[in-house]
Amino acid sequence: MNISARNQLKGKVASIQEGAVNAIVTLKTDGGNNFTSTISKEAVKELGLAPGKEAMAVIKATEVMIGLGEMKLSARNQLAGEIVNVQEGPVNAIVTVKTDGGNTLCSTISIAAIKELGLAPGIKAKAVIKSTSVMIAV
């Protein structure tokens, strides 16, 4: 299957915590980062997820926020790294962050946000993703 999501990170399921309806799946990527995904228990069953199973975290670039400095947020995925590229368009830009864990993530954000935050290659930043925005594929 080919999909348009820019962020597709291979790894293995590290853990699954099941609740009444949903489960929290933690995926350790080949690049060394942990991604937390909140998906339905039914999806866990249908995908045959279990610790050690190979899987992929799939995240649309529009779901990746960029933050600077220390932040207290409820978003479970906050990956520190460095901006390696900013590709500006007329309205939006694609910001590429190389995480300290070795993964590369792309974020689509507005030009206004680029200017307000002073984003440029070499700036230390965090890629922030809510666990409900992380899909799991097998």
Side-chain angles (χ1 to χ4, degrees):
M1 172 176 70
N2 292 321
I3 58 174
S4 63
R6 288 181 168 270
N7 302 299
Q8 301 176 34
L9 305 142
K10 293 180 183 179
K12 290 186 179 178
V13 175
S15 66
I16 300 171
Q17 295 176 288
E18 290 192 354
V21 176
N22 291 328
I24 297 172
V25 177
T26 301
L27 184 82
K28 183 168 183 74
T29 66
D30 293 346
N33 288 114
N34 286 326
F35 284 85
T36 300
S37 173
T38 300
I39 61 175
S40 69
K41 284 175 47 178
E42 190 65 26
V44 169
K45 182 179 174 185
E46 288 173 2
L47 294 170
L49 297 179
K53 180 168 180 129
E54 290 187 4
M56 184 177 298
V58 179
I59 310 148
K60 290 182 63 171
T62 54
E63 297 298 317
V64 179
M65 296 171 274
I66 302 296
L68 301 176
E70 289 301 313
M71 301 172 288
K72 289 188 179 188
L73 301 170
S74 63
R76 297 181 64 99
N77 300 294
Q78 299 181 38
L79 302 138
E82 182 176 305
I83 296 173
V84 294
N85 191 40
V86 177
Q87 180 183 355
E88 291 189 19
V91 177
N92 292 324
I94 307 280
V95 176
T96 306
V97 175
K98 180 156 184 151
T99 69
D100 292 346
N103 289 112
T104 300
L105 292 167
C106 293
S107 171
T108 301
I109 61 175
S110 70
I111 294 296
I114 297 284
K115 293 184 187 317
E116 287 171 18
L117 295 172
L119 301 182
I123 300 286
K124 295 288 185 187
K126 285 186 181 174
V128 179
I129 310 146
K130 291 183 64 162
S131 65
T132 52
S133 295
V134 179
M135 295 174 277
I136 301 292
V138 294

